Amino acid sequence: MSRLGTETAFEVLAKAQKLEAQGKNIIHLEIGEPDFDTPENIVSAGQQALQDGFTSYNPSPGYGDLRDIVANEISKSRGIEASGENIVITPGGKPIMFFVIMALIERGDEVLYPNPGFPIYESMIEFCGGTAVPMKLHGDKDFNINVEEVRNQITPNTKLMIINSPNNPCGSVIGLEELEELALLAKENDILVLSDEIYIRFLYEGSHQSIAALPGMMDRTIILDGFSKTYAMTGWRIGYGLFPEELVEPVSRLVTNSVSCTASFTQIAAAEALVGSQDRPSAMVEEFKKRRDIVVAGLNSIEGIKCATPKGAFYAFPNIDGTGMSSAEFSNRLLEEAGVAVLAGESFGKYGAGYIRLSFANSTENLQEAISRIKQFLESNYS
Ligand SMILES: Cc1ncc(COP(=O)(O)O)c(C=O)c1O
């Protein structure tokens, strides 16, 4: 168990809630969860499904109808031809990481993963006995990967490369040219790719490119996606993966061995999410874009803080080196002294040092208040 990491967001949330219980006013910018309700049509479909008796087990890879609907959605959004047979439905997108790494990685295998990046990648790789090899996202280069650096990190033991675009926590997007070079590296070195595309609808510039759509990549790519972010369904627990054929059976077996299946009524609601109106999710993304602009401008107006504009996802990842504090000191003191909960950059790996992550899944009013609290916090410490 000592090799298993965690997601600091939940720890900071617990600490912030404790302070709230003591009467302190806290602005929550720590958790990656849309502050919107699940759209009504989806809630109604879930309620109806419960009434219609969708309350029992279902096949481990998910209902055939939903798998087909998901395949259709992936095909349209990525410009590929996906089949429902290659889809496995899981309780959230997170289990896809878990199952892929468990199915593929053995002691001594090396896995490339983005750093800063979602903490569960490193945690699961190490837990499964693999060696986690960080692909640095360069803060001074819009958090891009240096492909030459990655080439030098590949060894005969490299089995899997994890990419995440748009990226949590940096908001960076991997451009087509880089994606092509990464695809070439994967093919030349017989590496599988886990492409975490959970934030593709939160893209504020350009259009999404999936590595799976590049020549020869369908057979070596697993796409991870889900409903938590796009449809504000974090608590419903539903996500999915598109797998090369040979992985569908082992991953389904891992589902059977762990959770048996994903909740039946949740799957009916998820089908409605994909076939029903997309107006609410689109409006949510528009709102996030406005908030992004407010947060980035606000942060950049504070001395000691520099914030790149995220192209996607819903996080700002500013550099705070200019304040003279470490990320841990900054985030701890900001919570305790100013009542703003954010995450230290190291929660996302060693290359996150010197940064903090703020989620802009909060009201404009609260975001503006958070910016002014950060300003006051720094002024009272340094003036
Ligand atoms: C990069 C990334 N991938 C996957 C997930 C998994 O989300 P869920 O399991 O709720 O679908 C998250 C959630 O925060 C995430 O940030």
Side-chain angles (χ1 to χ4, degrees):
M1 280 305 287
S2 61
R3 291 200 306 269
L4 192 66
T6 189
E7 218 186 314
T8 323
F10 291 99
E11 286 171 9
V12 175
L13 176 65
K15 192 171 163 191
Q17 284 168 337
K18 211 166 155 193
L19 289 170
E20 272 172 329
Q22 291 162 11
K24 198 162 169 91
N25 175 279
I26 305 289
I27 300 178
H28 290 274
L29 306 183
E30 74 277 41
I31 207 93
E33 167 166 70
D35 57 318
F36 290 83
D37 292 331
T38 306
E40 267 156 38
N41 61 316
I42 302 174
V43 174
S44 302
Q47 284 170 331
Q48 190 60 48
L50 283 171
Q51 264 156 13
D52 291 346
F54 284 91
T55 52
S56 41
Y57 292 130
N58 64 76
S60 290
Y63 282 124
D65 286 357
L66 179 61
R67 293 170 76 197
D68 287 343
I69 291 170
V70 166
N72 189 32
E73 204 296 310
I74 293 195
S75 303
K76 271 198 305 196
S77 52
R78 275 76 169 187
I80 55 178
E81 271 186 43
S83 153
E85 303 267 296
N86 294 56
I87 302 290
V88 179
I89 308 292
T90 45
K94 227 183 213 177
I96 299 290
M97 296 166 203
F98 212 96
F99 295 148
V100 166
I101 295 169
M102 271 195 143
L104 292 175
I105 301 308
E106 284 171 15
R107 191 161 293 282
D109 289 340
E110 292 172 16
V111 183
L112 293 157
Y113 73 101
N115 189 318
F118 192 55
I120 303 305
Y121 306 140
E122 186 178 333
S123 164
M124 274 309 295
I125 298 163
E126 298 284 346
F127 185 63
C128 290
T131 303
V133 182
M135 293 190 287
K136 183 173 182 180
L137 304 191
H138 293 265
D140 53 350
K141 296 205 170 60
D142 276 344
F143 297 105
N144 280 320
I145 294 170
N146 178 328
V147 178
E148 270 325 295
E149 244 169 49
V150 177
R151 188 189 305 280
N152 292 330
Q153 289 176 301
I154 293 175
T155 76
N157 295 328
T158 309
K159 198 135 188 208
L160 180 69
M161 176 193 291
I162 302 177
I163 57 174
N164 173 218
S165 177
N167 172 275
N168 172 13
C170 309
S172 51
V173 167
I174 307 178
L176 183 58
E177 210 173 298
E178 273 175 299
L179 218 50
E180 282 170 344
E181 289 181 86
L182 292 175
L184 209 59
L185 286 182
K187 284 185 282 188
E188 281 169 2
N189 296 284
D190 195 16
I191 297 169
L192 289 176
V193 177
L194 169 58
S195 181
D196 182 343
E197 303 183 7
I198 198 121
Y199 292 104
I200 66 159
R201 284 150 209 100
F202 297 87
L203 191 63
Y204 308 115
E205 295 158 31
S207 58
H208 177 69
Q209 311 277 350
S210 175
I211 198 164
L214 299 179
M217 287 306 291
M218 265 293 269
D219 290 346
R220 58 175 66 254
T221 305
I222 299 114
I223 292 181
L224 176 162
D225 200 348
F227 297 83
S228 288
K229 317 286 175 182
T230 311
Y231 299 100
M233 291 177 75
T234 48
W236 293 73
R237 304 313 299 138
I238 183 155
Y240 51 85
L242 170 71
F243 294 91
E245 197 182 328
E246 67 278 10
L247 273 175
V248 175
E249 189 280 327
V251 168
S252 303
R253 198 150 27 106
L254 281 166
V255 176
T256 307
N257 274 268
S258 52
V259 291
S260 298
C261 61
T262 302
S264 306
F265 73 95
T266 298
Q267 293 191 47
I268 305 295
E272 169 60 24
L274 293 182
V275 299
S277 164
Q278 301 300 306
D279 291 352
R280 291 278 305 280
S282 305
M284 183 167 79
V285 175
E286 274 309 302
E287 177 62 26
F288 278 149
K289 189 174 181 201
K290 279 189 215 141
R291 295 176 186 180
R292 171 196 73 160
D293 295 341
I294 292 170
V295 169
V296 171
L299 288 169
N300 281 327
S301 73
I302 302 174
E303 217 184 307
I305 298 187
K306 275 194 217 133
C307 186
T309 303
K311 293 192 179 116
F314 42 79
Y315 310 103
F317 200 59
N319 183 290
I320 51 114
D321 280 337
T323 66
M325 281 185 247
S326 71
S327 315
E329 183 190 357
F330 186 99
S331 50
N332 283 332
R333 289 185 52 193
L334 188 68
L335 175 60
E336 280 158 20
E337 296 170 30
V340 181
V342 300
L343 299 183
E346 286 98 330
S347 312
F348 301 92
K350 64 177 178 180
Y351 296 126
Y355 294 84
I356 56 163
R357 190 195 80 170
L358 300 81
S359 157
F360 37 85
N362 207 323
S363 66
T364 305
E365 201 187 357
N366 279 343
L367 291 169
Q368 277 161 338
E369 170 63 16
I371 299 288
S372 81
R373 287 190 193 183
I374 296 172
K375 214 175 229 169
Q376 273 167 22
F377 163 70
L378 288 174
E379 278 167 7
S380 60
N381 277 292
Y382 292 104
S383 56

